[in-house]
Amino acid sequence: MVSIFDNLQAVKGRIQAACLAYGRDANIVTSCAQPSDACPPHTLCLLAVSKTFSADAVRQAHAAGQRAFGENHVQEALAKMAELADVQRTDGSGVQWHLIGPLQSNKSRPVAEAFDWVHTVDRLQLAQRLAAQRPPHMPPLNLCIQVNTSGEASKSGAPLHEAAALAHAVAALGHQRVRLRGLMAIPEPAPTLALQRAQHRPLAELWQLLRAQGLALDTLSMGMSDDLEAAVAEGATVVRVGRAIFGTRHSPVL
Ligand SMILES: *Cc1c(COP(=O)(O)O)cnc(C)c1O
């Protein structure tokens, strides 16, 4: 029997230990800042990746204080949102939904209408659609550019050499309906801490470059169950953790 409560404590302990080991002064939070109050320095958000797990698992994590949840598949996420309607609140104590899987343009409308964050923007046209479809009464949709840092053709994300131009173009869409918050990547699994750090570094370097160029980015989304220490060492502000919180995934990711 998996204890989601115990696992959450253990993951926070790992993040804390990594912060200590790599000299980061971090305040670990369970939901990501909304654009109205851009992320204070030193904040490190734990995003609980609930893909393939039940609404009840999300409910247990929420009861343990977790607020930010990541989903890969739009239909699956919408079904969970409907089941969890009773914990949706606008005061920050409800569930904050992050899309971390690839998004086809023809599925953008329900995402614009229901999610708080999209980590997987890989083309300008998608950001434009999300901006046009974000309901005016909602706060801006938070966006990250997904970057294909490994360079493999099979991987999603904007190519590294196009990502800076894309980030500037998305930032230029303004702050009313969407707001560019940062960058995200999913590097290849690697066996050692040194190799994992090397794989996270290009994203961190691009993030620093874009900030130096004047983009107000506060989010660097990288690190999962097996490499979160390496991501913390390289400056992640959001780590996306699934299995270490919810246990082994039995059903395939759609
Ligand atoms: C599944 C997934 C995660 C979490 O992976 P775990 O190994 O379960 O921690 C993080 N990010 C993305 C984009 C994912 O698809």
Side-chain angles (χ1 to χ4, degrees), residues 49 51 72 100 184 186 224-225 240-244 249:
V49 177
K51 68 183 180 202
N72 277 53
I100 60 170
M184 177 272 208
I186 315 171
M224 320 202 297
S225 293
R240 309 178 307 263
V241 180
R243 289 167 301 134
R249 274 189 291 277

Side-chain angles (χ1 to χ4, degrees), residues 181-183 201-213 215 217-221 234-237:
R181 299 292 295 271
L183 303 178
R201 205 162 297 140
L203 194 74
E205 288 176 354
L206 177 62
W207 189 71
Q208 296 293 0
L209 173 75
L210 292 170
R211 282 157 56 98
Q213 291 174 349
L215 290 188
L217 305 184
D218 62 9
T219 302
L220 186 53
S221 167
E234 294 297 328
T237 72

Side-chain angles (χ1 to χ4, degrees), residues 2-3 17 19 24 43 58 60 68-69 89 114 128 130 141 147 161 164 177 192 203 205 213 224 228 231 234 237:
V2 176
S3 166
C19 288
R24 287 188 60 178
T43 304
V58 174
Q60 285 177 44
F69 292 87
R89 295 182 197 95
Q128 287 168 329
L130 290 168
L141 181 63
V147 185
H161 66 276
R177 300 293 179 80
T192 66
L203 194 74
E205 288 176 354
Q213 291 174 349
M224 320 202 297
L228 73 84
E234 294 297 328
T237 72

Side-chain angles (χ1 to χ4, degrees), residues 83-145:
E83 279 191 70
L84 292 163
D86 59 306
V87 294
Q88 294 296 357
R89 295 182 197 95
T90 51
D91 65 356
S93 68
V95 173
Q96 184 182 65
W97 294 102
H98 294 240
L99 184 71
I100 60 170
L103 178 56
Q104 293 166 4
S105 293
N106 63 5
K107 301 244 180 73
S108 62
R109 182 174 295 279
V111 171
E113 292 175 350
F115 279 80
D116 299 290
W117 286 69
V118 176
H119 290 233
T120 48
V121 173
D122 58 357
R123 57 200 190 278
L124 180 59
Q125 185 236 11
L126 179 60
Q128 287 168 329
R129 283 180 72 95
L130 290 168
Q133 293 168 340
R134 181 69 165 175
H137 67 272
M138 293 181 81
L141 181 63
N142 300 290
L143 303 182
C144 292
I145 306 285

